[in-house]
């Protein structure tokens, strides 16, 4: 069973270099520490969008117990304390990716109604949104699978997956290639192979809308950061 | 980074928790520190020289989290009526936010009682509608909803109430067939049997006409809705025919067993045995549809809107109807009068007999 270790080596060389300017643990710890009242509204927003609702207790994956707060009416409730921190962490990664001129690939649920919500946000963020099935070999064998066009002929810097359970294949391939994955994991998903798991609801369209909005915001921030740091003259402008 | 357990320093929320699954049906959430020793997070804070956070600064504790979670708690069962907000509407159906983990699915077939032409535009996003839960949770936790079932329930309730009020209501003719008329009433389909159709013209030109009807049979379990136009018009005109009354009507139908006569909107049966004392081999030879005829009322069933008629009693001599119908009609009134008197006499006689018997009994008891 492939198990991704969440060390710095997991992240791509560019990000690694940047982060090593600071003592790494301190940098991320500082980044992810909650800053008081600022996060209260975030937690309330998450609750409002039903991010805390997990699946039925029977279906929960044992490895998600660390993120589960408890059980209510037979449904598991996700601990938003951890969600907030991990969300910040994941979004920080996406931001850094874009700031360092890397592309981000999104995977969203294929259901028409939810996809329609995510699609304009991905477009606004200049992300590559994968529509439909993740063809095995998309990342590991772009030539044979002929899927490289879907993500612009350049291996993405990181993956943002909103329905990790259905895209286990994508998670696996990214891990094989050392591409970090920011994934929303619901209570019935195994979070181990995901680099930056974000425990949260993956069923409700409001929740998915929220995640996509956060990711889009992170990417736009990253773009601004890139321009501030001196423009992406080298490489593509995407 | 050791793992997520480390990074999730829940220092900001001000409390430290044990890992593992807890059952929080009892809504008291208490911070539990690891007994005696420092928690991991305290140690980390010390290492990096970060001040510990307390509750006032953060303003959000696990208690509040618990309370907030309880606000969004839901317990939805099949058959329950819920209010939901439309999130997104496509040609296949709509996603409705009913406060559950996954948005409820409202298939396009269940939007309304009648099929909808453009499903994707039927609902505007963010409209609040009332729905019924049509199925149990599927493997993803999604519920299927239905508007149509709810509307049908309401239509039937309305119809039952109208029936109890016993008022004539309007309905629209959909189609006419041999057995009767199909109508649309209060969103449901009903049927008027031909016997109760009254003076409805059996032509296709009638489709779309609004007619006033009353309820005969309302059974939601069997999905039966039978109406009667005759009852509505009869009650409207308030025709009361007493037995023994001579009425004049028009022949509306000829059958092997008799004639149907339409008297002022009320239809009555003139049975072949009641036409004349002599045997009549062929009714249609005697009278045709549309001919005026005078007959006497034998009795009237208001509930069913039916009437029994007779011309036999109007005959002066047996066999008159066949020979000379006009003469019978001319003298109808006198004959009817005599018949009525005879009826009265009979009634009185039987009443006297009854009284004698009763008084005899009393005497016997005493």
């Amino acid at each position: 069973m492939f198990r991704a270790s969440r060390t710095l080596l997991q992240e791509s060389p560019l990000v690694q270099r940047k982060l090593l300017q600071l003592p790494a643990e301190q940098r991320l710890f500082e980044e992810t520490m909650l800053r008081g009242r600022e996060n209260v509204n975030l937690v309330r927003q998450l609750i409002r969008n039903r991010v805390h609702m997990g699946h039925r207790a029977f279906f929960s994956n044992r490895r998600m117990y660390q993120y589960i707060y408890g059980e209510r009416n037979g449904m598991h409730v996700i601990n938003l304390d951890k969600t907030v921190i991990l969300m910040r962490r994941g979004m920080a990664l996406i931001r850094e990716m874009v700031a360092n001129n890397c592309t981000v690939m999104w995977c969203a649920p294929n259901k028409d109604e939810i996809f329609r919500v995510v699609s304009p946000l991905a477009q606004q963020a200049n992300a590559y949104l994968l529509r439909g099935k993740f063809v095995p070999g998309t990342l590991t064998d772009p030539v044979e699978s002929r899927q490289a066009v879907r993500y612009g002929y350049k291996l993405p810097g990181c993956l943002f997956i909103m329905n990790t359970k259905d895209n286990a294949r994508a998670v696996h391939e990214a891990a094989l290639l050392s591409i970090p994955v920011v994934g929303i994991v619901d209570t019935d998903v195994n979070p181990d192979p995901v680099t930056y798991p974000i425990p949260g609801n993956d069923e409700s369209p409001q929740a998915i809308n929220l995640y996509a909005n956060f990711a889009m915001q992170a990417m736009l921030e990253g773009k601004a950061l890139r321009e501030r740091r001196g423009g992406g003259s080298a490489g593509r402008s995407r | 980074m050791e793992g997520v357990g480390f990074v999730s320093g829940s220092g900001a929320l001000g409390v430290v928790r044990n890992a593992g699954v807890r059952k929080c049906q009892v809504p008291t959430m208490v911070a539990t520190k690891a007994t005696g020793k420092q928690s991991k997070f305290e140690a980390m804070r010390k290492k990096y020289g970060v001040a510990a956070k307390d509750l006032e600064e953060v303003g959000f504790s696990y208690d509040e989290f618990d309370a907030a979670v309880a606000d969004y708690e839901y317990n939805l069962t099949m058959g329950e009526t819920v209010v939901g907000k439309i999130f997104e509407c496509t040609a296949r159906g709509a996603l409705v936010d009913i406060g559950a983990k996954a948005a409820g699915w409202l298939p396009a077939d269940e939007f309304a009682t009648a099929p909808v032409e453009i499903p994707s535009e039927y609902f505007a996003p963010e409209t609040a509608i009332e729905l019924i839960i049509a199925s149990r949770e599927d493997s993803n936790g999604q519920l299927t909803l239905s508007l149509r079932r709810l509307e049908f329930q309401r239509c039937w309730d309305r119809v039952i109430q109208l029936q109890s009020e016993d008022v004539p209501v309007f309905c629209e003719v959909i189609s006419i067939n041999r057995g009767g008329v199909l109508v649309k009433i209060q969103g449901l389909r009903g049927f008027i049997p031909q016997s109760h159709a009254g003076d409805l013209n059996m032509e296709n030109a009638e489709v779309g006409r609004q007619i006033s009807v009353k309820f005969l049979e309302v059974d939601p379990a069997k999905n039966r809705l039978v109406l009667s136009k005759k009852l509505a018009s009869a009650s409207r005109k308030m025709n009361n025919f007493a037995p023994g009354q001579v009425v004049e009507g028009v022949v509306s139908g000829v059958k092997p067993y008799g004639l149907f006569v339409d008297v002022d909107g009320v239809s009555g049966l003139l049975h072949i045995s009641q036409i004349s004392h002599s045997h009549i081999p062929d009714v249609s030879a005697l009278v045709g549809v549309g001919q005026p005829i005078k007959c006497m009322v034998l009795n009237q069933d208001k509930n069913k809107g039916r009437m029994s008629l007779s011309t036999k009693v109007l005959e002066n001599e047996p066999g008159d109807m066949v020979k000379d119908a006009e003469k019978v009609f001319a003298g109808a009134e006198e004959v009817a009068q005599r018949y009525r008197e005879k009826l009265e006499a009979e009634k009185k006689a039987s009443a006297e007999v009854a009284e004698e018997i009763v008084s005899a009994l009393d005497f016997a008891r005493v």
Side-chain angles (χ1 to χ4, degrees), chain B residues 65-323:
Chain B
F65 180 48
D66 224 349
V69 166
D71 277 341
Y72 284 84
E73 189 179 323
Y74 66 97
N75 205 345
L76 300 171
T77 48
M78 191 165 132
E80 206 180 296
T81 315
V82 289
V83 176
K85 247 211 260 182
I86 303 281
F87 184 80
E88 184 90 11
C89 190
T90 60
R92 290 190 314 135
L95 277 177
V96 187
D97 169 28
I98 46 177
K101 169 186 159 74
W105 175 244
L106 180 65
D109 299 330
E110 303 285 328
F111 277 1
T113 40
V116 175
E117 305 94 37
I118 310 175
S120 50
E121 291 167 21
Y122 193 66
F123 289 117
E126 302 295 314
T127 39
I129 52 175
E130 217 175 329
L131 308 142
I132 206 170
I133 298 178
S135 78
R136 286 194 205 90
E137 275 182 14
D138 67 355
S139 55
N140 284 331
Q142 193 173 50
L143 293 162
T144 313
L145 311 161
S146 171
L147 237 179
R148 193 170 70 129
R149 223 178 276 191
L150 195 65
E151 278 188 24
F152 264 132
Q153 263 182 21
R154 301 240 169 96
C155 287
W156 277 111
D157 291 339
R158 243 183 313 196
V159 159
I160 290 172
Q161 201 205 351
L162 282 172
Q163 190 199 22
S164 63
E165 286 172 19
D166 201 27
V167 285
V169 284
F170 275 104
C171 65
E172 190 189 318
V173 175
I174 301 176
S175 75
I176 303 175
N177 57 27
R178 239 167 18 114
V181 184
L182 266 178
V183 297
K184 188 162 127 170
I185 180 168
Q186 297 285 346
L188 301 168
R189 286 208 317 186
F191 183 68
I192 306 180
Q194 189 164 21
S195 52
H196 287 272
D199 57 357
L200 256 189
N201 187 9
M202 292 291 158
E203 298 280 307
N204 281 331
E206 292 287 320
V207 171
R209 184 175 138 191
Q210 298 265 343
I211 50 179
S212 162
V213 292
K214 265 194 168 184
F215 295 97
L216 267 186
E217 190 181 331
V218 174
D219 192 350
K222 289 194 242 160
N223 209 13
R224 276 175 73 91
L225 186 61
V226 183
L227 312 157
S228 164
K229 177 178 187 296
K230 203 160 42 170
L231 283 180
S233 46
S235 63
R236 214 173 354 147
K237 293 177 187 165
M238 283 196 297
N239 272 333
N240 253 321
F241 295 111
Q245 187 179 348
V246 173
V247 293
E248 181 160 343
V250 171
V251 175
S252 63
V254 174
K255 291 270 150 69
Y257 52 87
L259 294 173
F260 277 102
V261 181
D262 185 32
V263 180
D264 272 352
V266 187
S267 112
L269 172 64
L270 178 59
H271 197 253
I272 191 171
S273 59
Q274 293 289 334
I275 297 181
S276 172
H277 278 105
S278 63
H279 170 67
I280 300 174
D282 189 8
V283 181
S284 49
L286 203 61
V287 280
V289 175
Q291 264 189 287
I293 192 169
K294 249 194 211 174
C295 28
M296 192 171 80
V297 178
L298 284 179
N299 68 0
Q300 185 191 21
D301 186 353
K302 280 221 80 170
N303 281 340
K304 298 250 180 93
R306 289 206 278 236
M307 205 160 53
S308 310
L309 307 162
S310 169
T311 50
K312 190 155 81 171
V313 295
L314 298 177
E315 286 180 340
N316 273 318
E317 297 160 11
D320 252 354
M321 275 294 288
V322 185
K323 281 187 274 187

Side-chain angles (χ1 to χ4, degrees), chain B residues 326-346:
Chain B
E326 297 295 317
K327 198 169 83 178
V328 174
F329 294 150
E333 284 293 342
E334 308 151 19
V335 175
Q337 184 68 23
R338 267 185 281 145
Y339 182 77
R340 275 196 287 263
E341 285 166 6
K342 199 167 68 172
L343 266 180
E344 291 274 339
E346 273 179 20

Side-chain angles (χ1 to χ4, degrees), chain A residues 2 4 10 107 134 139 159 161 163-177 179-183 185 189-195:
Chain A
F2 188 93
Q10 185 64 24
C107 299
F134 181 88
L139 295 173
L159 244 56
I161 303 185
N163 51 341
T164 321
K165 182 155 199 189
D166 301 327
N167 282 322
R169 185 77 212 198
V171 171
H172 184 69
E173 287 199 12
L176 287 173
L177 296 172
I179 299 176
V181 174
V182 180
V185 287
V189 184
N190 183 7
D192 282 345
V194 181
T195 328

